Amino acid sequence: MSIKIIDTSFSIDKPCQYRIFKTSGFTVATILYNEVVVGLKFGSNTIDQEICAEYISAKPTNKVGQELTLQLEAYFKGNKINFDCMIDLWWASDFSRKVLVNCINVDYGKTISYGQLASSACSPKAARAVGSVMANNHIPIIIPCHRVLRSDGTIGQYSAAQGSTTKQKLLTMETLK
């Protein structure tokens, strides 16, 4: 199993599909373009509205993304999952791509600092820029930005619903397994 990064030439005005499901206390939405993950949202009570505001031509469906839904359901139940899917980093600059690819390699239950992630992306002085990349990650969980911490080991911020509280819940769930 692995995450494959491909370029679909996606943009927010292209027709895509989204699937919303509830699992282990979270509402989760996957956004797909031609079976490729272009977005993931979770934790919010207004996911429908958020998706429609951000992805202009998005339509709800239950016909795509079934395997990914099963993987995410297992993850949110606390199971260690090696995601097997295709993703498109359509929003990312060259620097952001390096950071996101290195973030994908942070193992379940492990953490890394923003500075360490910057170094792994060949930009050791770019810890703050890495924070911005993490804040703009359109595919959290699959690209596990919640595993990136401040250099002193504290949580830092998190852009998903309920912010750092959600980040702490995810990290706790992963370390209990």
Side-chain angles (χ1 to χ4, degrees):
M1 291 195 186
S2 66
I3 297 170
K4 296 168 197 73
I5 300 170
I6 65 169
D7 182 6
T8 64
S9 299
F10 177 75
S11 62
I12 60 170
D13 59 337
K14 290 195 175 177
C16 58
Q17 299 174 311
Y18 66 94
R19 179 185 188 107
I20 296 177
F21 59 96
K22 293 185 187 291
T23 182
S24 301
F26 287 101
T27 300
V28 182
T30 53
I31 301 98
L32 299 114
Y33 176 70
N34 294 334
E35 295 285 340
V36 176
V37 181
V38 295
L40 189 147
K41 293 187 173 290
F42 70 100
S44 169
N45 293 329
T46 59
I47 282 181
D48 259 350
Q49 294 90 344
E50 291 173 29
I51 292 169
C52 292
E54 188 172 341
Y55 300 90
I56 299 166
S57 299
K59 303 285 184 226
T61 186
N62 283 320
K63 296 181 180 173
V64 298
Q66 289 98 339
E67 180 58 35
L68 180 58
T69 298
L70 294 174
Q71 292 174 46
L72 286 162
E73 285 174 338
Y75 171 82
F76 281 107
K77 288 178 182 169
N79 296 305
K80 180 179 178 182
I81 297 296
N82 293 315
F83 289 101
D84 186 21
C85 61
M86 296 180 292
I87 64 173
D88 187 347
L89 304 177
W90 58 275
W91 72 93
S93 67
D94 289 341
F95 171 73
S96 295
R97 283 177 180 271
K98 287 180 190 175
V99 171
L100 294 165
V101 166
N102 281 286
C103 186
I104 288 169
N105 295 320
V106 179
D107 291 333
Y108 183 96
K110 304 287 184 193
T111 59
I112 189 171
S113 73
Y114 292 100
Q116 290 169 319
L117 189 53
S119 291
S120 71
C122 301
S123 297
K125 296 185 181 194
R128 287 184 184 220
V130 166
S132 293
V133 172
M134 296 295 97
N136 290 302
N137 177 10
H138 286 254
I139 311 176
I141 306 301
I142 295 171
I143 302 174
C145 52
H146 63 282
R147 296 180 189 150
V148 185
L149 307 177
R150 292 180 174 160
S151 59
D152 64 2
T154 57
I155 291 291
Q157 297 180 356
Y158 194 55
S159 56
Q162 289 89 47
S164 58
T165 301
T166 297
K167 186 173 185 175
Q168 183 62 62
K169 283 180 185 176
L170 295 171
L171 292 170
T172 300
M173 176 187 75
E174 289 186 7
T175 56
L176 291 176
K177 288 290 171 179

